[in-house]
Amino acid sequence: MTDSIFNAEQFLDQVVEGAMDTRVVPCPEGDWQMEVKSYSARTWKSKDGTKAGVALDLIWNVTDYTALTTAGVDELTTKQGIMLDITPEGKLDTGKGKNIRLGRLREALGLNEKDQPFSFALLTGRVAVGTVTHRTNDEG
């Protein structure tokens, strides 16, 4: 729809019959092909305030036809959070036993070669098979 066709006044005057959905359709649980849509970093603190850190959040587009038809939608997204190990200087910790989950993600996306430089910008558009599970939050 272009601006020349769209009439805001008419649009806002429309009458809609019936209720609208109030809940996002969740991705069905299972192993699905998906593509990294976006990523972001955030700081976090534990509820009791004794721990803090940095997390990587990924938004995945689920591209698997079976998942889409099972959910009955044209587009499905799911979120993955990875807590990161950071050095005192604020860099990713590459030491032994550090950033295992990030290393697994990189490996699944073909980005974990020893002599290959890595940056988070390389994540966008990469495809992998991911396992989707559900959990309820404290509010149910």
Side-chain angles (χ1 to χ4, degrees), residues 62-122:
V62 178
T63 57
D64 190 283
Y65 178 76
T66 301
L68 293 167
T69 55
T70 299
V73 295
D74 295 329
E75 182 180 56
L76 274 175
T77 58
T78 190
K79 182 178 177 182
Q80 177 185 15
I82 298 175
M83 302 303 182
L84 300 174
D85 295 309
I86 307 295
T87 66
E89 297 80 29
K91 305 283 185 185
L92 278 174
D93 195 335
T94 57
K96 190 167 183 75
K98 301 293 182 177
N99 284 307
I100 301 297
R101 290 187 65 209
L102 178 59
R104 288 178 180 161
L105 171 70
R106 289 179 57 190
E107 189 165 305
L109 298 176
L111 298 171
N112 203 33
E113 298 300 321
K114 184 177 181 172
D115 297 326
Q116 179 185 28
F118 171 76
S119 74
F120 290 107
L122 296 171

